[in-house]
Amino acid sequence: MSTKANRKEALDSIQANVQDKNMVKHMLATEAIMRALAKKLGEDEEEWGLTGLLHDIDIELVEGDMSSHSKLGADIARELGASEAMAHAILCHNEAHGIPRETKLDKALFCADPLSGLITAAALVRPDKLSGLTTKSVMKRFKEKRFAAGVNREQVLSCQEVGLELEEFITLAIEAMKGIASELEL
């Protein structure tokens, strides 16, 4: 990874470009999951974390236009010093572009992105939020197609492409998000 990219600059850029606090929390949750995945898979935690953090930086700038989303985001990430591998992962996490996911980083971001949303939704319906959330309860919610209906289950299941079974992936993601529960206000 380029040593130019750093978390403080990434957060400053997010603050300048993303007003929706829930979107910022989604990006922080995705960062936490990506860092945990990198640690588990023996990859670069900083590179993977920053990729997760920056993946939706352009969502408000493109005003929700999915044909532009992540193209601008990849460019912004590059301007912040992200490596080409990071920019590619950001670019291909949006299926609208039809760019194949080739690397482990590409595949990890693709499956982590929607899982952060499912876990957040599952935590929000609990009185104890994230602290009492279990893998079993998220697995149950995963099977309920109407719960967090916007979460693409097939995309989450693509965790198998990085060598994790769904249950193991969910456990890892819950623990990662619990580590930043106060930032997520969960």
Side-chain angles (χ1 to χ4, degrees):
M1 178 188 124
S2 164
T3 53
K4 291 186 235 159
N6 75 60
R7 190 170 191 273
K8 186 193 177 316
E9 287 178 17
L11 285 170
D12 288 348
S13 186
I14 288 166
Q15 205 166 28
N17 291 302
V18 184
Q19 305 311 307
D20 181 340
K21 298 298 174 219
N22 288 329
M23 179 56 70
V24 173
K25 290 177 196 175
H26 162 68
M27 294 161 72
L28 290 167
T30 305
E31 174 193 23
I33 295 169
M34 289 294 289
R35 284 182 184 278
L37 279 169
K39 186 173 186 172
K40 169 98 178 146
L41 301 171
E43 300 291 339
D44 184 325
E45 291 177 50
E46 196 63 21
E47 179 182 46
W48 283 41
L50 284 170
T51 303
L53 183 61
L54 290 168
H55 82 283
D56 278 343
I57 194 167
D58 67 352
I59 197 73
E60 291 178 8
L61 297 171
V62 300
E63 299 174 344
D65 176 6
M66 294 310 278
S67 65
S68 299
H69 170 51
S70 77
K71 287 182 180 178
L72 179 58
D75 288 341
I76 293 170
R78 284 185 196 98
E79 287 169 20
L80 291 168
S83 67
E84 208 39 57
M86 294 167 70
H88 186 268
I90 290 168
L91 187 60
C92 71
H93 94 274
N94 178 0
E95 287 186 294
H97 305 310
I99 298 168
R101 291 172 298 283
E102 297 159 354
T103 66
K104 218 183 274 189
L105 177 59
D106 295 346
K107 294 170 184 176
L109 180 60
F110 186 69
C111 64
D113 179 20
L115 183 56
S116 65
L118 179 67
I119 291 171
T120 297
L124 286 171
V125 298
R126 300 180 58 85
D128 55 0
K129 306 285 184 240
L130 264 177
S131 67
L133 191 63
T134 64
T135 301
K136 183 179 176 184
S137 67
V138 175
M139 289 290 291
K140 183 179 173 213
R141 295 294 190 180
F142 183 85
K143 292 172 186 159
E144 295 172 23
K145 301 297 180 220
R146 288 193 182 135
F147 183 82
V151 172
N152 182 329
R153 268 70 171 167
E154 289 301 311
Q155 194 172 332
V156 175
L157 278 169
S158 72
C159 63
Q160 295 168 346
E161 293 179 24
V162 294
L164 295 179
E165 292 303 317
L166 179 61
E167 204 164 321
E168 182 182 17
F169 182 39
I170 289 172
T171 301
L172 175 140
I174 291 170
E175 291 309 309
M177 288 175 64
K178 281 181 178 178
I180 61 161
S182 61
E183 283 180 80
L184 301 176
E185 297 176 356
L186 290 174

